[in-house]
Amino acid sequence: MTTQTTSAERRTPLSRDRVMRAALALVDEGGMGALTMRRLGRSLGVEAMALYRHVTNKDEIVDGLVDLVFEEIGAPADGVGWKSAMRQRAISLREVLTRHRWAVGLMESRPNPGRANLRHHDAVIGNLRAAGFDMAMAAHAYALLDAYIYGFAMTHMALPFDTATPGEVAEMAEGMLRAFPVNEFPNLAAFISEHAMHPGYDFGDEFEFGLDLILDGLERASTEPSR
Amino acid sequence: MTTQTTSAERRTPLSRDRVMRAALALVDEGGMGALTMRRLGRSLGVEAMALYRHVTNKDEIVDGLVDLVFEEIGAPADGVGWKSAMRQRAISLREVLTRHRWAVGLMESRPNPGRANLRHHDAVIGNLRAAGFDMAMAAHAYALLDAYIYGFAMTHMALPFDTATPGEVAEMAEGMLRAFPVNEFPNLAAFISEHAMHPGYDFGDEFEFGLDLILDGLERASTEPSR
DNA sequence: ACCTGAACACCGTTCAAGT
DNA sequence: ACCTGAACACCGTTCAAGT
């Protein structure tokens, strides 16, 4: 259910902060599609037009939401070595993105990065540089890690067997296999029935396999003569 | 400019195929935001409501567009070894995604995968299995490669210095550095001015660095005792 | 058989008007 | 100072009506 506004809340005057918090509740509950100025107004007990006194437009609200998400990411730790600092950050970022699935496609695509965004990027680059990465190697590492983290969140988000019970999973496997000619796509059929839909398989576990493979590769590349 | 319909085209009766081709032209030119039933109708010289005779709704059009994109991806080659087959496929997929930027967030998120999509996934799994990957290792490889490829396309797409000339790049660098307090984000400032905005730096070049790092890592993992 | 007009329930945003 | 009503230019989709 959408947040209902009590009369006490109604008396509290609108503010940019209240608008942003209500917007975050809306998207966390119903995704980006649920964020409309009219609905946002309603959740605050106000007409949509009143919002324009506190934000210049909807785009600014989305910019603000993305920065709220950046605030939740743990900064890379100092004094533990770049590898475990990057590992921690990656896992934290992934957790944040599963809490706020609507944000996955937006984190890196806003033309107006907020302060939390800049702070986070600054901290990651700073950590890598302090560990002895030169600029080129830091750029390699950052591009690779972020592509992987965001890409994993994106492909994972799409999967249907995420919140399903084992019984539902078996049902879905059958449904999927009925949906396409098994003999035309034998490898895919085998993959689904023999692996992906097996009890105990959790796609989310793939994340750390890839993450560690990448971190090991970066370690090797950073100690080798430059390429 | 949007495609104008000549009187000859107007006489050709509408068909699912013509609707899909017109829709593809629309999104390639103006992104997903440009795809509306009314505009699509107009580009075909017809009212929006006429489209519903040939497609059941807009969602079906998007499903069809995504499958058109899957058709453009080169299938992994046989007989060249999994590593160069996967390398080829990754590069082909990335090229396709830069041609159809609007597709980046949609390729893996449609609940109704089309035949080209299934064919492609089947071919990739088949190639890995034929090269001796067991199911678990094929799943690792596929999850990692796709996360990286789609994630890279997503983060790359967002960057402003892509179609810019060196002169424009220098201008943007100045603009960005003026936009935030340099002493608050010193690492980011150094990164931008000393590296990212330098003439000769092309973010797209980062793709193959990460791709080869991942392929090397997969090779190592697949010949090691299982993890 | 194929397309259109009018309608419905939505959008974001502007602006004069109300308290 | 802060909010609202009415309006504008859009959406996707349905359905009776036209040819």
Side-chain angles (χ1 to χ4, degrees):
Chain A
M1 280 303 298
T2 299
T3 327
Q4 279 300 338
T5 304
T6 70
S7 52
E9 280 169 337
R10 181 65 193 82
R11 213 162 283 126
T12 318
L14 230 47
S15 67
R16 203 192 134 84
D17 204 67
R18 281 190 68 215
V19 171
M20 292 308 307
R21 287 206 318 272
L24 187 62
L26 232 45
V27 291
D28 279 346
E29 198 176 290
M32 262 299 145
L35 182 64
T36 76
M37 297 304 273
R38 282 165 165 93
R39 261 193 262 197
L40 180 53
R42 204 180 311 140
S43 84
L44 289 160
V46 113
E47 296 297 317
M49 306 77 195
L51 302 170
Y52 287 87
R53 197 147 291 271
H54 301 97
V55 293
T56 60
N57 54 31
K58 187 177 173 179
D59 240 54
E60 198 185 278
I61 296 179
V62 177
D63 283 339
L65 288 177
V66 168
D67 221 48
L68 287 179
V69 175
F70 268 106
E71 272 174 23
E72 292 185 25
I73 308 169
D78 282 329
V80 298
W82 68 269
K83 213 176 162 185
S84 55
M86 286 303 119
R87 198 171 193 282
Q88 257 176 55
R89 177 198 86 109
I91 288 168
S92 170
L93 175 48
R94 182 169 118 78
E95 273 170 14
V96 168
L97 292 176
T98 44
R99 268 205 297 282
H100 306 291
R101 301 161 84 90
W102 53 268
V104 172
L106 302 174
M107 298 290 283
E108 300 293 290
S109 73
R110 299 267 93 197
N112 292 309
R115 298 185 67 83
N117 182 337
L118 296 172
R119 209 179 306 127
H120 182 77
H121 281 81
D122 190 75
V124 172
I125 295 169
N127 186 287
L128 291 171
R129 297 282 285 138
F133 284 59
D134 63 19
M135 280 292 186
M137 195 58 207
H140 287 334
Y142 210 165
L144 173 45
L145 284 166
D146 268 24
Y148 177 63
I149 298 164
Y150 288 115
F152 192 91
M154 197 174 86
T155 52
H156 189 191
M157 215 180 50
L159 293 180
F161 39 83
D162 195 32
T163 51
T165 67
E168 290 169 334
V169 165
E171 218 175 284
M172 281 164 49
E174 266 184 67
M176 286 179 73
L177 293 173
R178 226 177 305 118
F180 63 80
V182 172
N183 49 350
E184 198 177 341
F185 308 114
N187 304 300
L188 192 52
F191 180 77
I192 292 171
S193 57
E194 291 172 30
H195 192 70
M197 291 299 193
H198 258 215
Y201 181 71
D202 180 355
F203 183 78
D205 293 344
E206 302 285 4
F207 183 68
E208 299 204 6
F209 172 86
L211 178 59
D212 287 328
L213 187 150
I214 288 170
L215 290 171
D216 288 348
L218 287 173
E219 188 166 43
R220 214 169 267 119
S222 67
T223 52
E224 263 171 20
S226 73
R227 46 192 299 166
Chain B
M1 280 303 298
T2 298
T3 327
Q4 278 301 338
T5 306
T6 70
S7 53
E9 279 168 337
R10 180 65 192 83
R11 211 161 284 125
T12 319
L14 231 47
S15 67
R16 202 192 135 84
D17 205 66
R18 283 190 67 218
V19 171
M20 291 308 306
R21 287 205 317 273
L24 187 60
L26 232 46
V27 290
D28 279 346
E29 200 176 289
M32 262 298 147
L35 182 64
T36 76
M37 298 303 273
R38 282 164 165 95
R39 261 193 262 200
L40 180 53
R42 204 180 310 142
S43 84
L44 288 160
V46 113
E47 297 297 317
M49 305 80 196
L51 302 169
Y52 287 87
R53 198 145 291 270
H54 300 96
V55 294
T56 61
N57 54 32
K58 187 178 172 178
D59 240 54
E60 197 185 279
I61 296 180
V62 177
D63 284 340
L65 287 177
V66 168
D67 221 48
L68 287 179
V69 175
F70 267 107
E71 272 175 21
E72 291 184 26
I73 308 168
D78 283 328
V80 297
W82 69 268
K83 213 176 163 186
S84 56
M86 286 304 119
R87 197 171 194 283
Q88 258 175 57
R89 176 197 88 108
I91 288 168
S92 169
L93 175 48
R94 182 167 118 79
E95 273 169 14
V96 168
L97 293 175
T98 44
R99 268 205 297 282
H100 307 290
R101 301 160 84 90
W102 52 268
V104 171
L106 301 173
M107 299 290 284
E108 300 293 291
S109 73
R110 299 267 93 197
N112 291 309
R115 299 184 67 81
N117 181 338
L118 297 171
R119 210 180 304 126
H120 181 77
H121 280 82
D122 190 76
V124 172
I125 295 168
N127 185 287
L128 292 171
R129 297 283 284 139
F133 283 60
D134 63 18
M135 279 294 186
M137 195 56 208
H140 287 334
Y142 211 164
L144 174 46
L145 284 166
D146 268 25
Y148 177 63
I149 298 164
Y150 288 115
F152 192 91
M154 198 172 86
T155 52
H156 189 192
M157 215 178 52
L159 292 181
F161 39 82
D162 195 32
T163 52
T165 67
E168 290 169 334
V169 165
E171 218 175 286
M172 282 165 48
E174 265 183 68
M176 286 180 73
L177 292 174
R178 225 177 306 121
F180 63 81
V182 171
N183 48 350
E184 199 176 343
F185 308 115
N187 304 299
L188 192 51
F191 180 77
I192 292 172
S193 57
E194 292 172 28
H195 193 71
M197 290 300 195
H198 258 215
Y201 180 72
D202 179 355
F203 183 78
D205 294 345
E206 301 285 4
F207 183 69
E208 299 203 5
F209 172 87
L211 178 59
D212 288 327
L213 187 151
I214 288 170
L215 290 171
D216 289 348
L218 287 172
E219 188 167 41
R220 213 169 267 118
S222 67
T223 51
E224 262 169 22
S226 73
R227 47 194 295 167

